[in-house]
Amino acid sequence: MTVSKAKEFKFISLLGKPGSGKGTQAQMLESKFPFEHISTGELLRKRVKKGDFIAKRLHEIMEAGGLVPTASVFQLWMPILEHLRKQKKFKGLVFDGSPRKVYESQMLDELLQLYDWDKNFKILHLVISDKEALRRLRKRARSDDDRKDVLYRLKVFKKEVAPVISYYKKKGEVVEVNGEQSLENVHKEILRKLKTFLR
Ligand code: B4P
């Protein structure tokens, strides 16, 4: 059910360690607001199914817990953004798990400026401990959820994604949320902290 008319275009990006609940919370936001949801992880997993040369290379990187080249994620995003631009109804975009590198952030900033979607921008940082990430993903058991892969993804988070969060913090665009609560309570904290933004 849509609870907000969200008058001006909003862009929300959910960042956090693997298993912090980015996908889950993005879906909860999408179900309540007139927003579209772009999950880069999902797009990549779909791309991998094509089975061509690029698909195989992307698959190897993802299975090892690494980050695919930024060019590959932009190639996936661009047609979707162009398609969405032509839709009149949606009032915002929820990105789940991107951008993952500082230069990816700078490129995304430029792209959003091009679409004039950069005015209301927030990064939601879902904060969880490494221990909780490992516990949740052990239960989920996706093909990149092996303990060794998750430990590597946590390392990549610290090296690549933490600087992205710092980059947006300097611009005053980060909202931190405690990701170690029930799904509903994380969602409630997001709604409370974004109350003015979501109007
Ligand atoms: P990630 O972005 O790491 O996301 P994820 O592991 O799927 O975790 P997420 O935070 O979304 O947690 P979820 O809601 O599913 O994965 C993306 C994939 O793409 C990775 O393989 C990554 O390496 C790859 N990739 C490579 N290059 C990339 C690039 N350039 N950009 C983007 N991606 C790239 O929740 C996890 C589990 O916890 C679920 O079972 C859920 O039910 C549970 N859970 C969620 N919230 C909970 C809560 N509050 N309490 C208890 N359990 C909870």
Side-chain angles (χ1 to χ4, degrees), residues 6-7 9-10 34-38 77-93 115 117:
K7 286 186 202 99
F9 189 90
K10 324 280 184 201
F35 298 160
E36 291 289 334
H37 170 199
I38 295 185
W77 295 339
M78 301 270 304
I80 301 175
L81 296 183
E82 206 28 39
H83 170 75
L84 290 176
R85 182 183 65 79
K86 294 174 189 154
Q87 318 286 311
K88 293 275 177 251
K89 284 186 193 136
F90 83 111
K91 291 283 185 234
L93 258 180
Y115 280 99
W117 287 345

Side-chain angles (χ1 to χ4, degrees), residues 52-139:
D52 57 10
F53 169 80
I54 293 288
K56 284 180 189 139
R57 294 291 293 126
L58 296 181
H59 185 61
E60 284 165 14
I61 295 169
M62 288 170 72
E63 287 296 293
L67 294 178
V68 308
T70 291
S72 299
V73 294
F74 272 84
Q75 201 174 31
L76 294 170
W77 295 339
M78 301 270 304
I80 301 175
L81 296 183
E82 206 28 39
H83 170 75
L84 290 176
R85 182 183 65 79
K86 294 174 189 154
Q87 318 286 311
K88 293 275 177 251
K89 284 186 193 136
F90 83 111
K91 291 283 185 234
L93 258 180
V94 181
F95 249 45
D96 122 32
S98 292
R100 292 280 239 256
K101 301 172 190 167
V102 172
Y103 69 81
E104 204 164 284
S105 315
Q106 291 159 341
M107 286 173 70
L108 179 66
D109 287 352
E110 278 186 0
L111 189 62
L112 293 180
Q113 279 162 24
L114 185 74
Y115 280 99
D116 209 14
W117 287 345
D118 60 318
K119 305 291 180 294
N120 298 296
F121 183 100
K122 285 284 177 227
I123 295 285
L124 278 177
H125 176 200
L126 301 180
V127 183
I128 63 166
S129 64
D130 289 5
K131 202 172 145 201
E132 180 66 8
L134 284 159
R135 192 188 68 78
R136 285 186 192 172
L137 298 184
R138 191 176 56 233
K139 274 215 260 171

Side-chain angles (χ1 to χ4, degrees), residues 25 28 136 178-188:
Q25 294 300 326
M28 290 171 92
R136 285 186 192 172
N178 174 10
E180 287 197 28
Q181 317 173 65
S182 67
L183 305 181
E184 294 73 23
N185 285 347
V186 176
H187 181 64
K188 277 186 196 156

